[in-house]
Amino acid sequence: MTEPSEVLARTGGRSVKRIVYSAAQIAERVQGMGREITDHYQDGDDVLMIGLLKGSFIFVGDLVRQITRPVQVDFLVAGSYGSGTTSSGEVRLLYDPEAKLTGRHVVVVEDIVDSGTTLNRLVPLLRQRQPKSLELCALLHKHLAPSIALEPRWVGFDAPDEFLIGYGLDHSENFRNLPFIASL
C-alpha cells in the first residue's frame, strides 16, 4: 500500500485523486501478460516488440523481462497530447522504428488506449510493411474509441475514464517515475 506521504513526496507535493493500480498490482499483471505473450508465439520465430514512446518505456522494460523466448525491442515516437489532458486529435510521428518488420511477428506495446487516434494512424503504416503478424499489447484500455484499427490482444487493465499518471504515463512530462498509476 502506498502511504499518502509517499505519494506527496513522489509527486513533489501535488496530490492525486486516488491510486488506481498499485505497484504490486501492476507487477503481477505484467508478469501474467509476459506469460501470455510467451505462450502465444510457439513457431520459434523471434518477436519484435515496438514500444510507443514515451509512455510505454517502463512497461516495455518490465514486460520483455517476463517473456521467456527471444524478443527484440524497438521504439516508435508519436504524440497527440502536448501539454493538455485530452488528445489534440493530431498525431505527429517523431521517430520511426529502425527494425525491419517484413515477415516478422510484431507486437506494438502501448501504455494506454484512449481515443484511438494514434493507433488508427499507425496501424495502417505498420501493416504496409508486411509483418508476419501484428498484435497490440496495452497496459491500459479505456474502451472509449468508437473504432480502433487494431484491438489489443493483451490488456493489462480496463482503465477508468480519468486522466492517469505514473508507470510511464505523464502530465506535461511529469510523474512518469511513479511506481503506481494514479488519477490526477
Side-chain angles (χ1 to χ4, degrees), residues 9 24 43 56 58 67 81 126 139 142 173 176:
D43 63 6
S56 73
I58 292 174
I67 298 172
Y81 277 85
L126 296 175
L139 177 63
K142 286 190 175 181
E173 295 302 322
R176 292 188 194 278

Side-chain angles (χ1 to χ4, degrees), residues 19-33:
I19 304 295
V20 180
Y21 302 106
S22 70
Q25 288 174 300
I26 295 167
E28 182 179 340
R29 184 61 192 121
V30 170
Q31 184 178 39
M33 293 172 82

